[in-house]
Amino acid sequence: MKIGILGSGDVGQKLGSGFIAAGHEVMLGTREPSSDKVKKWVTDNGKAASAGTFEQTAKYGEALVVATLWSGTENALKLAGPKNFEGKVVIDATNPLIFEENKPPRLALGHTDSAGEQVQRWLPGARVVKCFNIVGNQYMFRPQFDGGPPDMFIAGNDDEAKKTVTGFLKQFGWPAIDIGGIEGARLLEPMCIIWVLYGNRTGTWHHAFKLLR
């Protein structure tokens, strides 16, 4: 499948490389497709990798991933053109984080709204699924933990879209836990903060979430 990833930072690059390793073709969307870091990613990932503008990437992808910094997400989606997302599965991997000097990140939204819900409103014709936001990017593809594979929690309004994302997660080495509609992102986004705070307090970053059954 052709996957378009909006965002060329660590998360976008890690997910892009994962999709390629799983047999997909990936275009990395960015404001600067000719930047050195983007060209290096394309070279490192071979013939299945390419780069383009946000709009080119949104048109290219049969499924899309939003992996931008939250502060630039709305503008990136405007540049990409909401019409180019219509009918497509869109994975929202963002977290609505505010960064302040000498402080841990905090959420810009919560309780009554979420990044996932905002992305769905900005892309009303898309089938948005919240996913990949609860763990550091180094563990997004085929994570290895002594206790076995952790769980990835997902949320979205379209059941078929969530089935598609569950299939991607299986390729990425993650069992999926579906918690319901996109409003569930209000609960998933704070899990990012828990992941970061635990890492800050312990000085270790080799952790993830698992639902014991």
Side-chain angles (χ1 to χ4, degrees), residues 12-86:
Q13 291 194 20
K14 182 67 70 173
L15 289 174
S17 297
F19 275 109
I20 289 170
H24 303 279
E25 299 174 56
V26 175
M27 179 178 286
L28 202 64
T30 175
R31 289 178 174 82
E32 298 180 357
S34 61
S35 70
D36 289 342
K37 74 169 185 178
V38 173
K39 288 192 289 186
K40 182 179 185 304
W41 179 85
V42 171
T43 299
D44 289 347
N45 285 276
K47 294 182 179 180
S50 61
T53 65
F54 289 134
E55 183 178 22
Q56 289 169 335
T57 301
K59 289 179 178 179
Y60 170 90
E62 297 170 280
L64 296 160
V65 180
V66 181
T68 48
L69 281 175
W70 180 246
S71 58
T73 298
E74 183 177 12
N75 187 53
L77 297 180
K78 287 180 179 178
L79 291 172
K83 68 181 183 299
N84 295 318
F85 295 81
E86 290 182 1

Side-chain angles (χ1 to χ4, degrees), residues 4 7 15 38 44 65 83 87 98 135 142 150 158 166 168 179 184 203:
L15 289 174
V38 173
D44 289 347
V65 180
K83 68 181 183 299
I98 295 174
V135 70
R142 296 177 184 168
D158 189 292
T166 296
F168 291 148
I179 67 166

